[in-house]
Amino acid sequence: RALIATVQEAYVRGVSTRSVDALVESMGAGSIDKSRVSRMCEELDQAAEEFRTRTIDTETPYVWLDAMYEKIREGEHVRSMAVVIATAVSIDGTRTVLGFEIGNVESHAFWKDFLRSLVKRGLRGVQLVISDAHEGLKRAIEEVFFGASWQRCRVHAMRSLLTHVPRAQQAMVLAAVKTVFVQTTQQEAKKQLREVVRA
């Protein structure tokens, strides 16, 4: 079982079959071929699919949506594809990953299909969605989570802000802006924002 877990961990981290073979030999377990590695990792695919398609059975008022681009192997080719992920905080305060999907591009249609799949699996009670300002994504949120509020992700907003600041001053500006977000009331946050802008 330890050998299988080691092989699976290497597989998840993108280690080549040749390197996995060398790792297994160093553990004193002999050689291992590509087909055996595939068989050992089949249960990972099954577990990931079960997790990705499971029923969402709690009310979920806060949802975060994000995407990143990863190199994905399809047959003999490796290409960059969008990996989208939804995380949430449920009504009882539990944070969880709702689901993920892989697609060619971060288009409105792709986001809309992904969000609809979450609703089909039971996602309900969404009050606030936090994401970047991708226009296709914002439109999909409006269409699928009708009536929910939208807020731009703080991380993306800060990255955009810093593109307008000289590199030498970015750390200082970042530290100053962060003080706005630690305020405990909206009134205090607005007051602190005015102070930061004046400075």
Side-chain angles (χ1 to χ4, degrees):
R1 193 65 220 173
L3 173 64
I4 293 172
T6 301
V7 170
Q8 289 175 338
E9 178 73 16
Y11 172 78
V12 166
R13 294 183 180 274
V15 176
S16 70
T17 305
R18 182 177 294 161
S19 297
V20 170
D21 188 29
L23 176 64
V24 169
E25 281 193 20
S26 73
M27 293 173 67
S31 185
I32 187 167
D33 63 29
K34 184 186 269 189
S35 62
R36 189 165 172 216
V37 169
S38 295
R39 286 194 304 274
M40 285 180 166
C41 295
E42 278 175 3
E43 67 181 64
L44 279 180
D45 293 334
Q46 182 182 344
E49 185 62 15
E50 287 173 2
F51 176 80
R52 194 181 71 82
T53 59
R54 76 196 188 284
T55 299
I56 301 169
D57 55 6
T58 57
E59 193 173 339
T60 310
Y62 308 110
V63 175
W64 283 261
L65 300 170
D66 202 3
M68 57 189 171
Y69 281 81
E70 296 288 348
K71 299 290 185 186
I72 307 290
R73 179 180 295 279
E74 286 189 326
E76 298 298 314
H77 304 285
V78 174
R79 58 195 179 110
S80 182
M81 295 183 76
V83 180
V84 298
I85 186 166
T87 56
V89 173
S90 65
I91 200 74
D92 65 359
T94 305
R95 187 168 183 157
T96 186
V97 173
L98 296 174
F100 59 90
E101 190 60 76
I102 299 171
N104 293 323
V105 291
E106 238 191 302
S107 66
H108 164 256
F110 177 56
W111 273 113
K112 189 171 181 178
D113 286 346
F114 175 60
L115 299 182
R116 280 182 169 166
S117 74
L118 297 176
V119 172
K120 194 177 288 186
R121 287 173 41 218
L123 179 60
R124 66 187 192 281
V126 177
Q127 298 172 25
L128 175 66
V129 181
I130 301 101
S131 73
D132 69 10
H134 183 282
E135 286 305 318
L137 171 54
K138 284 173 65 178
R139 213 165 89 230
I141 291 166
E142 288 174 7
E143 293 168 0
V144 178
F145 301 133
F146 184 74
S149 298
W150 174 81
Q151 179 179 304
R152 186 167 190 203
C153 169
R154 192 171 89 184
V155 172
H156 290 93
M158 295 292 258
R159 284 179 192 158
S160 296
L161 171 68
L162 292 179
T163 62
H164 302 284
V165 178
R167 186 175 296 276
Q169 296 175 324
Q170 286 183 358
M172 179 188 67
V173 170
L174 184 61
V177 173
K178 281 183 175 179
T179 65
V180 176
F181 293 101
V182 298
Q183 304 307 310
T184 55
T185 68
Q186 186 181 57
Q187 185 179 358
E188 288 171 351
K190 286 180 176 179
K191 181 182 175 185
Q192 182 61 21
L193 177 59
R194 287 193 294 270
E195 293 294 326
V196 169
V197 171
R198 271 199 293 268

